[in-house]
Amino acid sequence: LDGTLLNSRKEVPPENLAALEKLIELGHIVSIATGRHYKSAYKVSLNLPHGVEIIASNGAVVSKGGVIIRREVIPAAELVDIYHLTEDYGLNLTFDSLYAAYHTRLGHALKYSYFMNVLNKGPIYIRNVHIKSLEDYERYMPFFINAIVISKKHPDRVARLRLDLEKADRFNI
């Protein structure tokens, strides 16, 4: 979306809208493909011609005709391992679900809330949930989609964590 379909003001320029309409008229399947949260992509799709599909969260969520047809989740055992490793390194974890973003550090949750709901104004609200404990984390795990963001605020810790995750040979980094 950013820098391709949307301009610097996060709007769809008329020439892009006309191109989408022409593609749909010619019978092509048109889809937004983005790393953004599903609700963020959905919000953009409201300003596009009917029939534009959505691939969001780096492919973890796919909708067709407004119906979610794919939602990839991360196996629970892997999520627990990642939680413990990031806690050991004092790093923030962020997970998306269809309707919320989950954060293991409150400061990051507040910053994300500001970005998604103040700077990114509109009718679509993305809840931000601060995960305070392993019990909270385990309660929300079934909702996490197949995308994880680990804070890069401490690059030395992230580099060591990456080595640990690569050694486990279970994660696509």
Side-chain angles (χ1 to χ4, degrees):
L1 292 175
D2 300 305
T4 52
L5 181 63
L6 302 177
N7 61 22
S8 61
R9 293 184 306 276
K10 306 294 184 210
E11 300 166 342
V12 181
E15 60 272 16
N16 289 359
L17 193 56
L20 292 175
E21 289 169 347
K22 184 67 174 175
L23 288 168
I24 291 169
E25 179 184 309
L26 292 171
H28 294 280
I29 296 171
V30 178
S31 180
I32 293 171
T34 183
R36 283 189 187 195
H37 191 281
Y38 173 75
K39 276 192 169 182
S40 180
Y42 177 77
K43 186 174 106 172
V44 172
S45 78
L46 295 174
N47 299 313
L48 301 177
H50 180 71
V52 174
E53 309 299 352
I54 298 172
I55 302 169
S57 297
N58 295 317
V61 178
V62 178
S63 73
K64 181 175 180 168
V67 176
I68 303 296
I69 61 171
R70 176 181 172 173
R71 183 177 73 89
E72 291 290 322
V73 295
I74 304 167
E78 291 180 6
L79 286 169
V80 170
D81 288 350
I82 291 168
Y83 178 86
H84 288 299
L85 282 168
T86 54
E87 283 296 302
D88 290 348
Y89 286 109
L91 294 168
N92 178 67
L93 271 175
T94 300
F95 292 91
D96 285 344
S97 73
L98 291 177
Y99 310 106
Y102 303 87
H103 311 274
T104 59
R105 299 279 187 267
L106 183 57
H108 194 75
L110 295 174
K111 181 170 67 171
Y112 197 78
S113 178
Y114 176 76
F115 172 75
M116 294 304 287
N117 299 310
V118 176
L119 296 179
N120 201 8
K121 293 178 186 173
I124 306 297
Y125 180 79
I126 299 168
R127 283 184 46 229
N128 283 280
V129 178
H130 177 210
I131 295 173
K132 300 173 187 167
S133 66
L134 180 58
E135 292 76 24
D136 278 354
Y137 184 79
E138 288 174 337
R139 182 168 37 131
Y140 292 118
M141 282 190 325
F143 306 109
F144 298 160
I145 59 170
N146 198 8
I148 303 170
V149 176
I150 298 173
S151 171
K152 60 183 183 177
K153 187 175 182 179
H154 304 283
D156 56 324
R157 294 183 208 167
V158 172
R160 290 193 314 263
L161 173 63
R162 182 184 183 106
L163 290 174
D164 287 346
L165 292 173
E166 287 172 350
K167 283 181 207 170
D169 198 29
R170 293 188 334 239
F171 306 102
N172 183 7
I173 304 170

